[in-house]
Amino acid sequence: MHLKFDDLLQTRKLLLKVTANLSNEQLNKIPEGFNNNIAWNIAHLVVTQQLLCYKNSGLKCLVSEEMIEKYKKGTAPNGIIAAEEFDEIKELLLKLPVRLEDDYEVGIFQKYNTYTTSIGVTLNSVDDAVQFNMYHEGIHLGVILQLLKFI
């Protein structure tokens, strides 16, 4: 499993690298033909990993309920994400994969509430959730790379 956690962290480092030189205005820009922006996509990744791995395991998420409500599946940008909030999101983006691996290694994921994703993939364990989360992160990495072309 260590490789999967490392893949998650490396993917997130790449996201921060390709967006590092963007202004807050660019991070929040919704180009024509899109319904979200780079900042929302990055925050959505933080929230989704928490819901897939922690909430579905019956554990408390490591992000606020407010953050979950703003960036969970089915939401869209609702105003500008301030630079200070985005700095916190970036910190969580890198910190939470490390915490996930630590929590996995100490065995806190004892049960999992079976969850079928919107694309019909059924997750039966936290291992399934970690694997599916990488697929989800890849989709949003692709979206972010597309958004970069239009800002």
Side-chain angles (χ1 to χ4, degrees), residues 15 18-19 37-38 41-42 45 139-149:
L15 278 172
V18 300
T19 60
N37 56 41
I38 292 170
N41 274 276
I42 290 174
L45 291 176
I139 288 172
H140 286 276
L141 171 60
V143 169
I144 290 167
L145 293 175
Q146 280 300 111
L147 285 163
L148 283 169
K149 295 177 182 181

Side-chain angles (χ1 to χ4, degrees), residues 50-93:
Q50 288 291 296
L51 295 174
L52 288 174
C53 296
Y54 287 83
K55 184 177 181 188
N56 288 348
S57 294
L59 301 169
K60 184 176 178 348
C61 291
L62 305 175
V63 299
S64 69
E65 277 301 315
E66 177 187 10
M67 186 175 187
I68 291 169
E69 289 304 310
K70 284 174 70 173
Y71 305 115
K72 68 183 179 181
K73 178 177 70 173
T75 64
N78 185 12
I80 301 296
I81 298 175
E84 298 78 25
E85 180 183 359
F86 193 67
D87 286 343
E88 292 172 17
I89 291 166
K90 291 188 299 186
E91 184 178 320
L92 290 169
L93 190 74

Side-chain angles (χ1 to χ4, degrees), residues 93-127:
L93 190 74
L94 294 181
K95 183 172 90 172
L96 292 177
V98 174
R99 175 70 183 270
L100 175 64
E101 182 174 18
D102 290 347
D103 287 343
Y104 183 88
E105 292 299 323
V106 298
I108 72 164
F109 299 101
Q110 294 295 310
K111 62 178 184 166
Y112 196 84
N113 299 314
T114 298
Y115 174 73
T116 301
T117 70
S118 57
I119 63 164
V121 175
T122 300
L123 309 177
N124 295 303
S125 67
V126 73
D127 289 25

